[in-house]
Amino acid sequence: MAGSNEINASESKRVVPLNTWILISNFKLAYNMLRRPDGTFNRELAEFLDRKVPANTIPVDGVYSFDVVDRATSLLNRVYRPAPENEDQWGKIELEKPLSTTEAVPVIVFFHGGSFTHSSANSAIYDTLCRRLVSICKAVVVSVNYRRSPEYRYPCAYDDGWAALKWAHSRPWLRSGKDLKVHTYLAGDSSGGNIVHHVAVRAAESGVEVLGNILLQPLFGGQERTESEKRLDGKYFVKIQDRDWYWRAFLPEGEDRDHPACNIFGPRGRSLEGLNFPKSLVLVPGLDLVQDWQLAYVEGLKRSGKEAKLLHFKDATIGFFFLPNNDYFYTLMEEITSFIHSNC
Amino acid sequence: MGPEGSSITSSSGSSSSCSAAARAPDHHHHHQIDQLLAGAGYSVRSSQLHQVAHRLECLESVMVHNQNIPTHLPLQYHLANDVVHYNPSDLSSWVDNLLSELHQLQPGSSASSSGLPPCPGNYESTGWSPSEFHAPPPPRNGNGNESENQQPQEALSHVLHQMDQEDSSIQLVHVLISCAESVQCGNLPLAGSLIADLQALLTRVNTACGIGKVAGYFIDALSRRIFTAVPPGAASFMSCWASEDEILYHHFYEAAPYLKFAHFTANQAILEAFQGHDCVHVVDFNLMQGLQWPALIQALALRPGGPPLLRLTGIGPPSPDGRDSLCVIGLRLAGLARSVNVKFAFRGVAASRLEDVKPWMLEADPNEAVAVNSILQLHKLLGPDQVHGSSSVEQVLAWIRGLNPKIVTIVEQEASHNQAEFLDRFTEALYYYSTMFDSLEACSNRADNVLAEIYMQKEICNIVCCEDSARVERHEPLAKWKARLKGAGFKPLYLGSNAFKQASMLLTLFSAEGFCIEESEGCLTLGWHSRPLIAASAWQPVSD
């Protein structure tokens, strides 16, 4: 049983800045209202409450964005690019020329979080995060509006992720470098991190090149209750029972959490041996209750002979990267930057 | 108004140790929208952050309570389906709306009110007027049941009642700061109407303790500033209290450990500095009732090898009634010294301001070891007056250095009450004196407490009501004093572990838990629950 409410509120308040605490507590409150005990989800209210922003071809703080629909899948992808140096070019969407012919520009295919259920590519928090990735990490970002549960269960999110990756790969205007190819990285937070792994597997199986995976507090789990889940249950914004609800909403009906979508290196997991799997950068917040699963994922990668770098931030809570008001945010951005530019 | 500019920012971190802890908020931007939350799609004023956080906690608390009652429909269901949600970006109103919906679920509440009081003037209120909700008092359980067994409505009302109290307190602080801001802008009509709101709010909080009590003093001080006809620069503004100073000081001395800590720590350092010297001379910048010196005299009497010849020069204001009160104290101390066989000489120097004292008045002898002792005096020298291009504090520090003292003991309030902007001083003072009052409450001596409070009220009034040379309570933090003293040619004398241990022991003589002593770079600070309140340090001149 989680500790008393007031103590938890004050504990979580002590480790994050006040505005971050308000942001995440507000999400927690809203999400509590949206999940129904019978496993259904109040999508109407969710869409009403979600703060969304339109794309903007006029650069704001050096970044502009535009939405493109993949006609094959009706999937929306929002593209973020740095502003053209020449102001006369502002407001124009360049769909012919490559990003650069001289240097390689990393293209990050980004999957937003929300436990497979919440948020969209055009949610304000994710629009802002993607813009920061462009300006701080010097990349182009393609944010994917994948189909969500419980309306669309496994494997829809992975199918959409894979479709988006192929789409990005085939855009001539995302190519760069002397070799004129799309320098692709996959990134995502929470469920987005989970999608990164599965899309990377499919890409490796199909010979589509992914240069690196970036997983931010990825959503993994299993039937077993790990030590961190028991210790941190309810303490820093998240309860185990909430996590359970989201897995029940995403996994096929009747399945348990040892399903390979959820428990990557568990009894039913798919081995990575022989796969040309990309290097990974995995962020584990020290106060995330599923961190034992995230750490197990990194161990699993290493055991499979795959390159993996772990960023384990001791007193970071989930979602610390939504607001740039803490040291961890900047450290994370630095790590991502060197991760995506080390190949170039 | 504080300067316009960017919102709460943090520099790009290059520190090697990472932390998720908050950067210090920028005090100037109370009324701006929090830019970071704006980027997430929410519009919340920086000044409302605490209130919004509090409301979110209350909502959570109510919903958790409700989860334990299986017979009722989950509140979440009600909030999701039966409530009209307004603009979710206006987070404060959205949360208030949910709370007000929950409150209306409660039997006996006035269903017509929607919780928003009328807005007086420009002051935008997102609080709710508790008097419009007739929340029943917290339930009394004669049979000692645990709270989980209470009826859900009672549990709900208990949480909401608590929230009302806390709410009013938060509002009190919020309006106080708004009032101070309007004073800073020169908008006296608005400030005046806010005073009326503050008086009303005071009736809804417990003014016997906590924020209610200290808020009362600040409201009083603001009222004086706003409504009095005498301009704040006038020196006569504070004169009504001059004759009561000694009585108030004595009660402040008795009520709480601050002055005792100051005297104790300084004496320890002076004693050590005087080791090996046969002729010693203490210059006390504010003799008051000489409460510091009996202990030193007795310690010197017990010194191995015998006591030195002790001279004490006590500086103090001239007595209003013509008595030589300095001399009276001197005689009393002389009597004590005689009784313990310490050769003692006293000289009083009457000066209404420290800057009027000239070194020749002290008749320092080059053969004697001099200790200069300043307890809560130096900050008075930080006013705007300048003579021949240098400030009062520079001049005084220069002549102290000229005396070539063995030690200079300095104790000052650990606070930043000398900032350029009135609003900054006001806000700092509000938090500083809240802590002081809290600590005072914890010390159980009620008889001394009332007058000790008035002693502090004097300081509050000076900070809030006075300007220019009349404003003498110009407290600055230790870090600034360190820089100033180093710049004036002094180097720190570390207060040893002996001083620390003895100061800690002194604290244990007090029944109040919560006081703490910290040592940092040779200086000792006494604080209340990790908020430092008074800092002691020792110095000596750098040899040329």
Side-chain angles (χ1 to χ4, degrees):
Chain A
M1 182 65 192
S4 99
N5 213 43
E6 290 70 32
I7 293 178
N8 289 342
S10 69
E11 264 195 55
S12 56
K13 256 188 177 172
R14 269 190 296 118
V15 293
V16 291
L18 189 57
N19 46 7
T20 303
W21 190 90
I22 288 175
L23 182 68
I24 302 184
S25 299
N26 176 54
F27 285 145
K28 182 173 98 167
L29 170 68
Y31 294 178
N32 281 344
M33 285 166 33
L34 300 170
R35 291 188 305 270
R36 298 199 195 99
D38 63 358
T40 59
F41 186 72
N42 192 336
R43 182 62 64 187
E44 254 180 30
L45 182 59
E47 292 300 297
F48 175 77
L49 293 178
D50 189 24
R51 307 291 79 214
K52 297 190 200 293
V53 295
N56 194 351
T57 52
I58 303 298
V60 175
D61 290 336
V63 181
Y64 73 97
S65 60
F66 56 94
D67 292 339
V68 192
V69 177
D70 178 354
R71 268 175 273 170
T73 59
S74 311
L75 267 192
L76 185 85
N77 294 320
R78 179 167 287 186
V79 181
Y80 300 84
R81 288 186 58 171
E85 304 228 339
N86 187 352
E87 268 192 50
D88 293 339
Q89 300 302 311
W90 285 12
K92 299 185 189 158
I93 301 177
E94 178 54 70
L95 294 181
E96 306 277 326
K97 295 199 287 239
L99 296 175
S100 162
T101 47
T102 47
E103 49 168 358
V105 179
V107 175
I108 299 179
V109 178
F110 180 80
F111 305 104
H112 67 81
S115 308
F116 295 105
T117 304
H118 298 284
S119 298
S120 309
N122 57 350
S123 295
I125 44 167
Y126 288 110
D127 185 87
T128 303
L129 179 60
C130 289
R131 283 169 172 275
R132 287 186 182 131
L133 283 172
V134 172
S135 54
I136 302 176
C137 306
K138 311 286 183 246
V140 166
V141 176
V142 178
S143 185
V144 182
N145 207 31
Y146 57 90
R147 285 170 294 165
R148 298 161 301 184
S149 57
E151 299 93 328
Y152 299 98
R153 291 173 178 268
Y154 165 92
C156 297
Y158 303 154
D159 293 341
D160 293 349
W162 173 227
L165 174 58
K166 286 187 292 186
W167 178 88
H169 255 271
S170 59
R171 301 302 105 189
W173 46 271
L174 284 178
R175 294 191 192 140
S176 61
K178 298 204 176 71
D179 46 1
L180 269 189
K181 70 173 188 186
V182 184
H183 292 76
T184 323
Y185 292 82
L186 298 177
D189 70 304
S190 165
S191 48
N194 179 296
I195 297 172
V196 164
H197 171 84
H198 292 286
V199 171
V201 168
R202 282 211 213 173
E205 283 168 345
S206 318
V208 172
E209 188 189 35
V210 172
L211 294 170
N213 288 348
I214 300 168
L215 292 81
L216 310 178
Q217 57 177 60
L219 199 57
F220 297 127
Q223 272 306 106
E224 182 201 333
R225 294 299 190 202
T226 59
E227 184 271 342
S228 66
E229 282 166 306
K230 291 187 251 191
R231 175 170 49 97
L232 296 173
D233 184 16
K235 288 221 172 347
Y236 297 100
F237 309 109
V238 189
K239 294 206 192 99
I240 296 183
Q241 68 187 51
D242 307 339
R243 296 276 118 244
D244 290 351
W245 188 98
Y246 292 114
W247 285 121
R248 277 195 306 275
F250 173 70
L251 295 170
E253 307 216 27
E255 280 285 0
D256 70 14
R257 290 186 302 274
D258 280 335
H259 186 281
C262 175
N263 193 349
I264 307 294
F265 291 106
R268 298 161 58 187
R270 187 228 191 278
S271 162
L272 298 182
E273 306 236 2
L275 270 188
N276 186 12
F277 196 75
K279 63 175 183 175
S280 299
L281 177 67
V282 184
L283 162 72
V284 178
L287 299 176
D288 186 342
L289 91 171
V290 301
Q291 66 185 282
D292 283 353
W293 293 111
Q294 296 160 347
L295 293 169
Y297 175 77
V298 174
E299 285 307 304
L301 285 178
K302 290 182 177 167
R303 273 198 319 269
S304 313
K306 309 304 173 201
E307 198 187 321
K309 181 170 183 185
L310 168 66
L311 298 177
H312 195 179
F313 290 164
K314 202 165 79 79
D315 18 66
T317 61
I318 52 156
F320 71 84
F321 45 80
F322 286 132
L323 301 184
N325 56 7
N326 58 86
D327 285 335
Y328 287 135
F329 172 88
Y330 291 100
T331 306
L332 176 63
M333 290 296 136
E334 277 168 24
E335 292 283 347
I336 294 177
T337 307
S338 47
F339 187 74
I340 62 180
H341 287 282
S342 60
N343 296 350
C344 313
Chain B
M1 251 340 206
E4 297 298 294
S6 57
S7 59
I8 299 172
T9 57
S10 57
S11 59
S12 47
S14 54
S15 54
S16 54
S17 68
C18 290
S19 85
R23 307 293 187 124
D26 188 347
H27 283 300
H28 291 296
H29 306 122
H30 292 291
H31 292 263
Q32 290 205 338
I33 302 290
D34 183 296
Q35 292 299 308
L36 297 186
L37 286 178
Y42 297 100
S43 174
V44 187
R45 292 223 186 115
S46 305
S47 55
Q48 288 177 325
L49 287 178
H50 282 283
Q51 197 176 47
V52 171
H54 181 66
R55 300 280 167 83
L56 281 167
E57 275 179 293
C58 289
L59 259 177
E60 164 96 8
S61 184
V62 167
M63 283 164 69
V64 163
H65 259 98
N66 186 255
Q67 260 167 21
N68 298 334
I69 318 297
T71 53
H72 287 253
L73 268 180
L75 276 179
Q76 287 94 306
Y77 184 82
H78 172 73
L79 290 178
N81 295 288
D82 303 333
V83 166
V84 179
H85 292 270
Y86 298 99
N87 178 12
S89 280
D90 182 359
L91 193 50
S92 185
S93 301
W94 183 76
V95 174
D96 284 354
N97 184 40
L98 293 181
L99 274 169
S100 130
E101 289 287 337
L102 292 185
H103 209 237
Q104 284 178 28
L105 280 185
Q106 190 194 327
S109 71
S110 124
S112 57
S113 54
S114 59
L116 293 176
C119 299
N122 298 336
Y123 156 56
E124 197 177 328
S125 160
T126 56
W128 31 336
S129 172
S131 62
E132 291 178 36
F133 293 91
H134 306 292
R140 279 181 290 273
N141 275 322
N143 51 5
N145 280 345
E146 296 286 80
S147 60
E148 280 95 64
N149 293 341
Q150 287 174 345
Q151 288 307 303
Q153 289 91 334
E154 287 171 354
L156 180 61
S157 79
H158 178 68
V159 171
L160 291 167
H161 176 76
Q162 278 292 94
M163 208 181 74
D164 284 354
Q165 287 274 318
E166 287 161 17
D167 230 33
S168 298
S169 303
I170 294 175
Q171 275 200 75
L172 202 50
V173 173
H174 178 47
V175 181
L176 260 173
I177 293 178
S178 299
C179 186
E181 194 173 26
S182 49
V183 166
Q184 176 167 285
C185 299
N187 189 347
L188 294 185
L190 173 59
S193 80
L194 289 175
I195 293 286
D197 293 337
L198 285 167
Q199 307 284 19
L201 274 172
L202 265 188
T203 63
R204 292 200 253 284
V205 298
N206 186 354
T207 52
C209 63
I211 190 70
K213 167 174 269 189
V214 70
Y217 287 116
F218 275 85
I219 294 169
D220 182 65
L222 275 173
S223 302
R224 284 171 201 266
R225 185 172 179 129
I226 295 165
F227 297 121
T228 191
V230 178
S236 60
F237 202 65
M238 302 296 294
S239 64
C240 54
W241 285 303
S243 54
E244 298 162 3
D245 274 0
E246 296 203 356
I247 301 172
L248 297 176
Y249 179 90
H250 192 101
H251 284 270
F252 182 69
Y253 179 88
E254 292 295 343
Y258 299 108
L259 288 178
K260 295 187 187 97
F261 160 78
H263 293 173
F264 199 85
T265 310
N267 283 348
Q268 187 66 31
I270 293 172
L271 198 59
E272 285 174 30
F274 279 171
Q275 263 172 26
H277 292 278
D278 297 322
C279 293
V280 302
H281 180 185
V282 174
V283 177
D284 187 1
F285 273 11
N286 186 25
L287 186 67
M288 243 325 158
Q289 297 161 352
L291 295 175
Q292 181 172 353
W293 306 119
L296 183 69
I297 293 171
Q298 285 169 333
L300 286 173
L302 295 172
R303 192 168 83 157
L309 163 63
L310 169 66
R311 281 182 55 208
L312 173 64
T313 302
I315 300 172
S319 324
D321 50 6
R323 282 183 318 134
D324 190 348
S325 55
L326 291 172
C327 198
V328 168
I329 310 284
L331 281 173
R332 210 183 296 154
L333 290 171
L336 168 66
R338 195 164 36 244
S339 73
V340 293
N341 288 324
V342 174
K343 292 202 191 60
F344 178 79
F346 175 83
R347 184 184 172 80
V349 173
S352 33
R353 303 178 318 155
L354 203 48
E355 39 267 67
D356 297 335
V357 174
K358 301 292 171 243
W360 57 262
M361 300 174 185
L362 308 175
E363 291 186 1
D365 186 319
N367 294 325
E368 52 188 17
V370 175
V372 176
N373 180 72
S374 167
I375 309 287
L376 310 181
Q377 299 305 305
L378 284 188
H379 59 259
K380 300 179 184 174
L381 298 170
L382 297 178
D385 292 344
Q386 296 235 330
V387 179
H388 306 306
S390 62
S391 63
S392 306
V393 67
E394 282 167 356
Q395 296 206 327
V396 170
L397 287 178
W399 67 244
I400 292 177
R401 194 163 183 279
L403 293 175
N404 196 22
K406 273 278 162 304
I407 186 170
V408 181
T409 48
I410 295 177
V411 178
E412 283 288 325
Q413 289 93 336
E414 184 61 11
S416 188
H417 296 153
N418 195 25
Q419 296 172 76
E421 301 280 335
F422 173 75
L423 181 59
D424 295 333
R425 300 200 295 273
F426 184 89
T427 314
E428 274 280 324
L430 185 59
Y431 288 113
Y432 178 81
Y433 287 100
S434 297
T435 313
M436 286 292 285
F437 273 85
D438 278 350
S439 71
L440 199 58
E441 258 163 49
C443 302
S444 51
N445 193 339
R446 292 306 311 173
D448 289 315
N449 281 10
V450 175
L451 291 175
E453 285 179 18
I454 298 179
Y455 174 89
M456 289 198 281
Q457 182 194 25
K458 243 191 64 178
E459 290 183 6
I460 293 171
C461 268
N462 189 272
I463 296 170
V464 174
C465 305
C466 296
E467 292 295 344
D468 305 315
S469 44
R471 179 157 59 88
V472 296
E473 298 298 343
R474 295 176 178 262
H475 312 146
E476 287 195 349
L478 182 59
K480 280 200 142 174
W481 284 111
K482 279 184 182 175
R484 190 171 278 122
L485 284 155
K486 287 188 182 145
F490 290 90
K491 63 178 195 247
L493 250 183
Y494 276 36
L495 299 170
S497 53
N498 220 10
F500 180 85
K501 279 185 238 165
Q502 302 223 26
S504 304
M505 194 183 66
L506 168 69
L507 275 195
T508 64
L509 297 177
F510 276 81
S511 53
E513 280 194 27
F515 285 101
C516 58
I517 302 224
E518 287 207 355
E519 187 276 341
S520 159
E521 294 182 345
C523 306
L524 292 188
T525 323
L526 175 63
W528 173 255
H529 282 142
S530 80
R531 162 76 214 245
L533 292 171
I534 189 168
S537 58
W539 303 83
Q540 60 181 183
V542 171
S543 38
D544 294 315

